[in-house]
Amino acid sequence: DGDPEQVVPDLLRARLYNSGQDCLCPDVVFVHRAVAAELTERLVRSVGRLAVGPRARPDTVVSALTYPDVLPPLEQYLEQHARYVRSGGRVDRDRLLVEPTVLLRPWTADVQPPEFFAPVFDLVEYDHAGQIRAWLESAPQRRRGMYVSVYGETGLPDGVLGTSVVLSGVTTLDVEDGNRPFGGYGIEANSVRRGDLVSARPLLLSAELGPAGQALRARPSGAVLHA
């Protein structure tokens, strides 16, 4: 029941932040089969209008990648899933430029989206909310759980799913706030280690390092923060 007029602009803004080279860019987009064709068509049209070029141009939305090591695994992924590419898919190694790409894939329970760090929209069809809940509760996703933005899927409750914090109708960029704890509960997403103690939860580093962390800081020395 999500509104495509909201979903597509939010998806473009979130996925293309810094040309897709940010940890907050969504790795996978689950789309209900009933609206998959419409949303994909809208997204393909919007992506086709994007300005791709040098960073110095004021109208540029997608520019060259900063990290060349992104390209080999990305090219391999696009080659493996070539039959699902709905637009884009071309990579210019010399210019470190990835064409904005939209894929639409059928549901599989073992979906393992990579962290692309590139302007790639990886859409996966689903049939009912139980599939999403089970996926978020799987061991790999519990390890990496951070955020899940939900648009119009009433079968997914607010709060926390697996280890992912549910955002209702907003993106991760909308909730990022340097004065509040940030992130989910996945050990690979954000955690703090003090000696042998590791805690995975939303973190505010200033609080971890300040008076609020006094009791925990008194535990074994040599603490290393991971966020």
Side-chain angles (χ1 to χ4, degrees):
D1 295 322
D3 181 3
E5 297 290 342
Q6 178 193 8
V7 173
V8 171
D10 275 10
L11 184 54
L12 289 167
R13 181 166 57 92
R15 178 63 261 185
L16 298 177
Y17 182 74
N18 195 27
S19 295
Q21 300 174 103
D22 193 276
C23 294
L24 294 187
C25 299
D27 296 327
V28 65
V29 182
F30 293 108
V31 188
H32 194 280
R33 189 179 303 279
V35 296
E38 177 190 0
L39 189 131
T40 302
E41 182 180 343
R42 285 174 176 265
L43 183 60
V44 166
R45 287 201 303 267
S46 298
V47 165
R49 294 192 290 264
L50 295 174
V52 180
R55 292 186 184 87
R57 269 177 32 190
D59 63 333
T60 293
V61 177
V62 174
S63 59
L65 301 183
T66 302
Y67 310 107
D69 58 333
V70 167
L71 292 180
L74 174 59
E75 287 180 306
Q76 182 180 16
Y77 189 88
L78 293 178
E79 181 179 345
Q80 290 174 344
H81 298 86
R83 63 190 181 280
Y84 302 126
V85 173
R86 295 294 180 264
S87 70
R90 288 177 285 274
V91 176
D92 187 330
R93 284 193 174 193
D94 294 332
R95 298 166 61 199
L96 293 181
L97 193 64
V98 177
E99 184 179 22
T101 300
V102 178
L103 301 94
L104 178 62
R105 303 191 282 128
W107 172 266
T108 59
D110 60 347
V111 172
Q112 294 295 332
E115 193 169 16
F116 290 109
F117 267 77
V120 176
F121 298 83
D122 195 17
L123 277 57
V124 177
E125 288 184 326
Y126 75 98
D127 292 297
H128 57 84
Q131 293 172 306
I132 309 299
R133 291 197 300 269
W135 184 80
L136 288 168
E137 288 284 2
S138 67
Q141 303 316 317
R142 289 188 66 86
R143 287 196 298 271
R144 67 184 292 185
M146 194 167 181
Y147 285 111
V148 54
S149 294
V150 177
Y151 290 79
E153 176 48 83
T154 57
L156 296 178
D158 294 335
V160 178
L161 288 171
T163 56
S164 297
V165 174
V166 176
L167 305 178
S168 181
V170 296
T171 74
T172 51
L173 300 176
D174 297 319
V175 299
E176 184 179 21
D177 183 338
N179 295 306
R180 301 177 63 185
F182 184 73
Y185 294 87
I187 193 71
E188 294 177 2
N190 36 215
S191 61
V192 58
R193 177 188 295 274
R194 292 181 173 89
D196 294 330
L197 177 66
V198 179
S199 177
R201 51 187 162 74
L203 297 176
L204 178 61
L205 293 188
S206 57
E208 299 293 337
L209 296 168
Q214 187 68 40
L216 287 175
R217 286 206 309 277
R219 298 191 182 201
S221 59
V224 179
L225 288 173
H226 300 278

